[in-house]
């Protein structure tokens, strides 16, 4: 496979401090609205683009493992433990095919499905995913690390492996937070036979 990627990009986190009005019950005045400040960490939404060519004559299924790697002076044994898995996904390629792949942070296989919030119920948007509602996975707003005030330099590292060798059941449809949690079901095994974080 041949890879080509875009130029350098900046990914940053920010602290949010939203003010919202909520109705609070079991107070002296049951209808009294109060303001609540909800401070949380979040990152600016991002996506990455890959241009990949299958140089083989035959069809292949490729597992792309995407990591954020901080720049550091640490020895290799320590440095490799600092890799942060951002995503893992599988793509099929015909022989000689070139594909341009765009992946959004919201499509990551490591994030938990969005939970229903009070505002969703109030607005009538309380639908949940029937396929991934176990709450397993990493929160989307914490996908990118906080870093430091001066910033944190790093590199996006993409490892491509043969999914026909790495997949427990390569033809299985993958959904939700399968990278951390496997597939839903009592008898389901983790779809990836490689060790977690490989």
């Amino acid at each position: 496979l041949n890879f080509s990627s875009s130029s350098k990009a900046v990914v940053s986190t920010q602290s949010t401090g939203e003010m919202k009005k909520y109705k609070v019950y079991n107070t002296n005045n049951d209808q009294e609205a109060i303001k609540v400040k909800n401070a949380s960490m979040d990152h600016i939404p991002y996506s990455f683009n890959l241009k990949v060519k299958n140089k083989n004559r035959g069809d292949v299924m490729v597992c792309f493992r995407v990591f954020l790697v901080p720049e550091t002076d640490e020895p290799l044994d320590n440095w490799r433990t600092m890799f942060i898995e951002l995503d893992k996904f599988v793509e099929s390629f015909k022989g000689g095919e070139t594909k341009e792949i765009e992946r959004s942070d919201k499509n990551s296989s490591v994030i938990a499905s969005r939970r229903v919030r009070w505002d969703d119920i109030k607005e009538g948007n309380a639908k949940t995913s029937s396929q991934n509602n176990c709450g397993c996975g990493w929160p989307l707003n914490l996908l990118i690390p906080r870093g430091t005030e001066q910033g944190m330099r790093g590199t996006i590292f993409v490892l491509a492996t043969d999914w026909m060798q790495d997949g427990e059941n390569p033809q299985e449809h993958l959904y939700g937070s399968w990278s951390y949690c496997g597939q839903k079901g009592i008898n389901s095994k983790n779809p990836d036979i490689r060790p977690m974080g490989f």
Side-chain angles (χ1 to χ4, degrees):
L1 293 172
N2 264 4
F3 287 96
S4 63
S5 61
S6 324
S7 58
K8 291 184 180 181
V10 174
V11 177
S12 59
T13 57
Q14 59 197 12
S15 179
T16 62
E18 298 178 57
M19 291 290 283
K20 291 191 174 187
K21 286 187 178 181
Y22 292 94
K23 291 229 178 192
V24 177
Y25 299 96
N26 296 328
T27 63
N28 292 336
N29 180 355
D30 284 346
Q31 298 304 312
E32 180 183 352
I34 64 166
K35 287 185 180 180
V36 176
K37 185 171 184 176
N38 179 20
S40 64
M41 186 63 66
D42 207 347
H43 64 270
I44 296 169
Y46 69 88
S47 62
F48 55 86
N49 302 289
L50 301 171
K51 186 174 182 180
V52 184
K53 180 175 183 175
N54 177 10
K55 293 179 122 186
N56 300 312
R57 291 184 183 169
D59 298 354
V60 293
M61 289 182 79
V62 179
C63 180
F64 294 96
R65 302 157 190 276
V66 184
F67 298 91
L68 175 60
V69 184
E71 286 184 9
T72 181
D73 294 329
E74 293 280 336
L76 182 60
D77 268 1
N78 296 344
W79 180 63
R80 68 177 179 78
T81 64
M82 296 179 190
F83 282 41
I84 300 162
E85 185 176 3
L86 298 180
D87 199 1
K88 186 189 309 183
F89 61 96
V90 177
E91 288 281 337
S92 297
F93 292 85
K94 302 241 180 260
E97 180 182 16
T98 299
K99 271 190 187 179
E100 292 191 19
I101 303 165
E102 181 176 1
R103 285 286 286 191
S104 162
D105 56 346
K106 291 172 185 62
N107 298 122
S108 172
S109 67
V110 302
I111 62 170
S113 60
R114 188 176 174 277
R115 301 226 175 132
V116 176
R117 299 181 184 141
W118 170 249
D119 289 342
D120 297 328
I121 295 168
K122 192 166 71 173
E123 295 166 12
N125 299 324
K127 295 177 183 171
T128 60
S129 167
S130 61
Q131 293 184 327
N132 186 26
N133 58 6
C134 66
C136 181
W138 196 254
L140 173 61
N141 64 306
L142 299 177
L143 190 56
I144 301 297
R146 181 183 67 185
T148 65
E149 281 187 41
Q150 297 77 31
M152 184 183 83
R153 298 183 63 82
T155 301
I156 298 293
F157 177 77
V158 180
L159 176 66
T161 62
D162 183 347
W163 189 243
M164 294 305 287
Q165 292 180 11
D166 292 349
E168 179 69 39
N169 178 4
Q171 303 303 328
E172 180 180 21
H173 173 71
L174 303 170
Y175 53 83
S177 184
W178 67 270
S179 185
Y180 284 1
C181 309
Q183 294 288 70
K184 188 177 174 184
I186 296 171
N187 297 322
S188 293
K189 293 184 178 180
N190 193 318
D192 191 353
I193 64 170
R194 299 273 188 174
M196 222 176 183
F198 176 83

